[in-house]
Amino acid sequence: MDSDRWAADGEALQILGLTREDFGGTLADVTAQVRPDDLFELRAGRRPLRTGRWGR
């Protein structure tokens, strides 16, 4: 799994304020649109993907 690649549907792009053409599909593209005080939540949400641990 390429950990720097992201997929985003139309709703996610709308939340991020991006068009499909403007979204490059990388973590950098996503984090550039996320407010600094929300980055913790974004990173915490990715943790299970990186570790393979779901739940508690």
Side-chain angles (χ1 to χ4, degrees), residues 13-54:
L13 291 172
Q14 183 178 17
I15 290 169
L16 293 170
L18 295 170
T19 65
R20 196 160 298 285
E21 294 78 24
D22 292 334
F23 181 60
T26 67
L27 177 58
D29 293 320
V30 174
T31 57
Q33 300 302 102
V34 175
R35 293 177 35 183
D37 55 328
D38 292 331
L39 284 174
F40 175 81
E41 293 294 327
L42 176 68
R43 291 179 180 131
R46 289 193 69 219
R47 192 168 298 119
L49 295 173
R50 288 192 319 267
T51 64
R53 292 181 169 180
W54 300 95

